[in-house]
Coordinates of all heavy atoms in Angstrom, one line a residue:
Chain M
P364 N 3.1 -4.8 -20.2 CA 3.4 -4.2 -19.1 C 2.9 -2.9 -18.8 O 2.5 -2.2 -19.9 CB 5.1 -4.1 -19.4 CG 5.2 -4.2 -20.9 CD 4.0 -5.1 -21.2
K365 N 2.8 -2.5 -17.6 CA 2.3 -1.1 -17.3 C 0.8 -1.0 -17.4 O 0.3 0.1 -17.0 CB 3.0 0.0 -18.1 CG 4.4 0.2 -17.8 CD 4.9 1.6 -18.0 CE 6.3 1.7 -18.1 NZ 6.9 2.4 -19.3
A370 N -7.9 -1.3 -13.3 CA -8.5 -0.3 -14.2 C -9.2 -0.8 -15.5 O -10.2 -0.4 -15.9 CB -7.5 1.0 -14.6
I373 N -12.5 -2.2 -14.9 CA -13.5 -1.2 -14.9 C -13.8 -0.8 -16.3 O -15.0 -0.5 -16.6 CB -13.1 0.1 -14.0 CG1 -12.9 -0.5 -12.5 CG2 -14.2 1.1 -14.0 CD1 -12.2 0.4 -11.8
F385 N -26.6 -1.4 -26.2 CA -26.7 -1.0 -27.6 C -27.2 -2.1 -28.5 O -28.2 -2.0 -29.2 CB -25.3 -0.7 -28.1 CG -25.3 -0.2 -29.6 CD1 -25.4 1.4 -29.8 CD2 -25.3 -0.9 -30.6 CE1 -25.3 1.9 -31.0 CE2 -25.3 -0.3 -32.0 CZ -25.3 1.0 -32.1
K388 N -31.0 -3.6 -27.8 CA -32.3 -2.8 -27.9 C -33.5 -3.5 -28.5 O -34.5 -3.4 -28.0 CB -32.1 -1.4 -28.5 CG -31.8 -0.4 -27.7 CD -32.5 0.9 -27.9 CE -33.1 1.6 -26.7 NZ -34.3 1.1 -26.5
G499 N -25.5 -5.4 -9.9 CA -24.1 -5.4 -9.4 C -23.6 -6.8 -9.1 O -22.5 -6.9 -8.4
G543 N -38.5 0.7 6.8 CA -37.2 0.7 6.3 C -36.8 -0.5 5.3 O -35.7 -0.9 5.4
Y545 N -35.6 -0.1 2.5 CA -34.4 0.1 1.7 C -33.2 -0.4 2.4 O -32.3 -0.8 1.8 CB -34.3 1.6 1.5 CG -35.0 2.1 0.4 CD1 -36.1 3.1 0.7 CD2 -34.6 1.8 -0.9 CE1 -36.8 3.6 -0.4 CE2 -35.4 2.3 -2.0 CZ -36.6 3.3 -1.7 OH -37.2 3.7 -2.7
I560 N -14.4 -7.1 6.0 CA -13.5 -6.4 7.0 C -13.0 -7.5 8.1 O -11.9 -7.5 8.5 CB -14.3 -5.4 7.9 CG1 -14.6 -4.3 6.9 CG2 -13.6 -4.9 9.0 CD1 -15.6 -3.2 7.4
S563 N -10.1 -9.9 6.5 CA -8.9 -9.2 5.9 C -7.9 -8.8 7.1 O -8.3 -8.7 8.1 CB -9.1 -8.0 5.2 OG -9.9 -8.3 4.1
S564 N -6.7 -8.7 6.8 CA -5.7 -8.4 7.8 C -4.6 -7.6 7.2 O -4.2 -7.8 6.1 CB -5.0 -9.6 8.5 OG -3.9 -9.2 9.0
P565 N -4.2 -6.4 7.8 CA -3.2 -5.5 7.2 C -1.8 -6.2 7.2 O -1.0 -5.8 6.4 CB -3.1 -4.4 8.2 CG -3.7 -4.9 9.4 CD -4.7 -5.9 9.2
L578 N -4.2 -7.8 -6.1 CA -5.0 -7.4 -5.0 C -4.4 -7.5 -3.8 O -4.6 -6.9 -2.8 CB -6.2 -8.3 -5.2 CG -7.5 -8.0 -4.6 CD1 -8.0 -6.7 -5.1 CD2 -8.6 -9.0 -4.8
Chain E
I209 N -22.3 -1.3 -38.2 CA -23.8 -1.4 -38.0 C -24.6 -0.7 -39.1 O -25.8 -0.3 -39.0 CB -24.1 -0.9 -36.7 CG1 -23.8 0.4 -36.3 CG2 -23.8 -2.0 -35.5 CD1 -24.3 1.0 -35.1
I259 N -13.4 3.6 -6.4 CA -14.5 3.8 -7.5 C -15.9 4.1 -6.8 O -16.8 3.9 -7.5 CB -14.5 2.5 -8.3 CG1 -14.8 1.3 -7.7 CG2 -13.4 2.3 -9.2 CD1 -15.1 0.1 -8.6
Y313 N -5.6 0.1 7.8 CA -5.5 -0.6 8.9 C -6.1 -2.0 9.1 O -5.9 -2.6 10.0 CB -6.3 0.4 10.1 CG -5.4 1.7 10.1 CD1 -5.9 2.8 9.6 CD2 -4.4 1.7 10.9 CE1 -5.1 4.1 9.7 CE2 -3.6 2.9 11.1 CZ -4.1 4.0 10.5 OH -3.3 5.1 10.7
R314 N -6.8 -2.4 7.9 CA -7.4 -3.7 7.9 C -7.0 -4.5 6.6 O -7.5 -5.6 6.6 CB -8.9 -3.6 8.0 CG -9.7 -3.7 9.4 CD -9.2 -4.7 10.4 NE -9.7 -5.9 10.2 CZ -9.5 -7.0 11.0 NH1 -8.7 -6.8 12.0 NH2 -9.9 -8.2 10.6
N317 N -9.3 -4.4 0.6 CA -9.2 -3.8 -0.8 C -10.0 -2.8 -1.0 O -11.3 -2.8 -0.9 CB -9.3 -4.9 -1.9 CG -9.2 -4.3 -3.3 OD1 -10.4 -4.0 -3.9 ND2 -8.0 -4.0 -3.7
Y327 N -23.0 1.3 -2.9 CA -24.3 0.7 -2.9 C -25.1 0.9 -1.5 O -26.2 1.3 -1.5 CB -24.2 -0.9 -3.0 CG -24.0 -1.1 -4.4 CD1 -22.9 -1.8 -4.9 CD2 -24.9 -0.8 -5.4 CE1 -22.6 -2.4 -6.1 CE2 -24.6 -1.3 -6.9 CZ -23.5 -2.0 -7.1 OH -23.4 -2.3 -8.5
Q335 N -33.5 5.7 1.9 CA -34.2 5.5 3.1 C -34.5 6.9 3.7 O -35.6 7.3 4.3 CB -33.4 4.7 4.1 CG -34.2 4.4 5.4 CD -35.5 3.6 5.2 OE1 -35.5 2.7 4.3 NE2 -36.5 3.9 5.9
E338 N -37.0 9.1 1.6 CA -38.3 8.6 1.5 C -38.9 8.5 3.0 O -40.1 8.4 3.1 CB -38.4 7.4 0.7 CG -38.1 7.5 -0.7 CD -38.9 6.5 -1.6 OE1 -39.9 5.9 -1.1 OE2 -38.5 6.5 -2.7
F460 N -9.3 8.5 -15.1 CA -8.2 7.6 -15.8 C -7.8 8.2 -17.2 O -6.6 8.1 -17.5 CB -8.7 6.2 -16.0 CG -8.5 5.3 -14.8 CD1 -9.6 5.2 -13.8 CD2 -7.4 4.8 -14.7 CE1 -9.4 4.4 -12.9 CE2 -7.2 3.9 -13.6 CZ -8.2 3.7 -12.6
P493 N -29.4 4.1 -30.5 CA -29.9 4.0 -29.0 C -28.8 5.0 -28.2 O -27.7 5.1 -28.6 CB -29.6 2.6 -28.6 CG -29.0 2.0 -29.8 CD -29.0 2.8 -31.0
T496 N -25.1 4.2 -27.4 CA -23.9 4.6 -28.4 C -22.9 5.3 -27.6 O -21.6 5.0 -27.9 CB -24.4 5.5 -29.6 OG1 -25.7 4.9 -30.1 CG2 -23.4 5.5 -30.7
L509 N -6.3 3.1 -21.5 CA -5.6 2.4 -20.5 C -4.5 1.5 -21.1 O -3.4 1.2 -20.6 CB -6.6 1.5 -19.7 CG -7.4 2.3 -18.7 CD1 -8.4 1.4 -18.1 CD2 -6.6 2.9 -17.6
T513 N 0.9 1.2 -21.9 CA 2.1 0.3 -22.1 C 3.2 0.9 -23.0 O 4.3 0.4 -23.1 CB 1.7 -1.1 -22.8 OG1 2.7 -2.0 -22.4 CG2 1.2 -0.9 -24.1
Y515 N 4.3 3.9 -22.9 CA 5.2 4.9 -22.2 C 6.6 4.2 -22.0 O 6.7 3.2 -21.4 CB 4.6 5.4 -20.8 CG 3.5 6.4 -21.0 CD1 2.2 5.9 -21.2 CD2 3.7 7.7 -21.0 CE1 1.2 6.8 -21.4 CE2 2.7 8.6 -21.1 CZ 1.4 8.2 -21.4 OH 0.3 9.1 -21.6

Side-chain angles (χ1 to χ4, degrees):
Chain M
K365 293 209 192 126
I373 300 171
F385 185 95
K388 258 222 137 277
Y545 280 111
I560 296 176
S563 302
S564 155
L578 201 57
Chain E
I209 59 169
I259 60 175
Y313 293 103
R314 270 317 281 183
N317 177 261
Y327 281 121
Q335 186 61 38
E338 298 212 6
F460 274 97
T496 315
L509 284 175
T513 196
Y515 282 86

